[in-house]
Amino acid sequence: MLFSILLIFFTSLFVGNSVAADLKEIQARGELRHLGIRYANFVTGDGDGFDVDLVKGFAKHIGVRYQLVYTDFYNVIRDLLGKNVVRKGEEVTLEGDFPVRGDIIATGFTVLPWRERVLLYSEPTFPSQVLLVARADSPQSPIKGSSNLTRDIQETKAMIGKKSLLVMERTCLDPANYGLKGVGLDLRTYTRSTNLNEMVPALLNKDAELTLLDVPDAILDLQKWAGRIKVLGPISEEQDLAAAFPKSAPELRAAFNDYLRKIKADGTYDQLVNKYYPGIRRYFPDFFARKG
């Protein structure tokens, strides 16, 4: 009898930890678990960052404690949903059963169509765009650019040609997201880690001739590796970054959207942008001109 009671007790704990929670459950628990990846200035690894400060404020807004749970781009959705995401072309399925480690993803997380099939996204929290980057000593010159972004993207993609391109699958730098996979390009998949911060060091180490970076990361890398890398042109349209939630947590998403509108109205959001990404507004003036 005692064994049966204990078995039921521990099974209920496991199942409870394997189910995504919505707003009321999180408030009852008294803690919001933030899934963050050490990446650019979104989550620095030092306990701060744009998304760390953003979600800390949200936790306070809904009256709960804040906990940062570190993860990586390969496991972050599994840690949120308790399921592995298997992507085959445009088809996305959820498989397996794993512990749910967090309630919200906020980590410079790009809104991508395949992710939208399994996640609820908040309203946009930050802008981005994927760029083609080379070492400064590369003979290729940046495109001149025009008012036609589609033409600029085509021109940039054509520059890849036979050159090797360093990519990281299952992230915002996955070549499949931008029509670069299965078209005869020399793709070099970075596998030594899932840390996007390592892409430029690998490029400088000559792991490949070119790589992909998104704008927030490129801004920081152009400062860190000044004179050693250059941007050749855009690979994608402008993108939105946002917080992500399980499909079963619409009230949590709604509360986050309310909080996001509030801090945009009272100036807190602008303070975070200025703190972690000074100068970003000149790259995306339309995004930051939006109100609410």
Side-chain angles (χ1 to χ4, degrees), residues 7 19 25 32 34 48 52 54 71 77-78 82 95 133 154 166 171 187 189 197 209 223 227 235 255 265 291:
L7 181 61
V19 177
E25 289 82 6
L32 179 70
H34 170 202
D48 64 355
V52 172
L54 189 68
T71 182
I77 297 179
R78 186 182 77 180
E95 299 179 359
V133 175
Q154 293 172 345
L166 188 68
T171 72
L187 301 177
T189 303
N197 295 334
E209 296 167 279
Q223 296 171 354
I235 287 292
K291 298 297 182 182

Side-chain angles (χ1 to χ4, degrees), residues 269-271 273-274 277-286 288:
Y269 175 84
D270 287 335
Q271 292 172 13
V273 173
N274 294 339
Y277 287 99
I280 189 75
R281 286 178 174 80
R282 70 175 179 269
Y283 295 94
F284 301 103
D286 293 340
F288 291 105

Side-chain angles (χ1 to χ4, degrees), residues 190-244:
Y190 189 77
T191 58
R192 286 197 290 275
S193 81
T194 59
N195 188 345
L196 290 175
N197 295 334
E198 296 181 14
M199 298 298 278
V200 168
L203 177 71
L204 296 175
N205 193 46
K206 300 187 178 181
D207 287 14
E209 296 167 279
L210 305 168
T211 192
L212 303 179
L213 288 180
D214 67 8
V215 170
D217 200 20
I219 290 173
L220 300 179
D221 284 333
L222 286 167
Q223 296 171 354
K224 183 176 181 178
W225 308 101
R228 302 188 65 185
I229 60 173
K230 60 185 175 183
V231 174
L232 298 181
I235 287 292
S236 77
E237 302 282 340
E238 291 185 8
Q239 299 173 320
D240 287 328
L241 308 182

Side-chain angles (χ1 to χ4, degrees), residues 51 73 76-77 105-111 115 119 121 240-242 244:
D51 278 314
F73 279 106
V76 65
I77 297 179
I105 299 171
T107 190
F109 202 57
T110 307
V111 178
R115 287 176 175 168
L119 300 171
Y121 273 105
D240 287 328
L241 308 182

Side-chain angles (χ1 to χ4, degrees), residues 138-149:
S138 168
Q140 291 178 293
S141 299
I143 67 167
K144 292 182 178 180
S146 70
S147 59
N148 188 323
L149 180 55

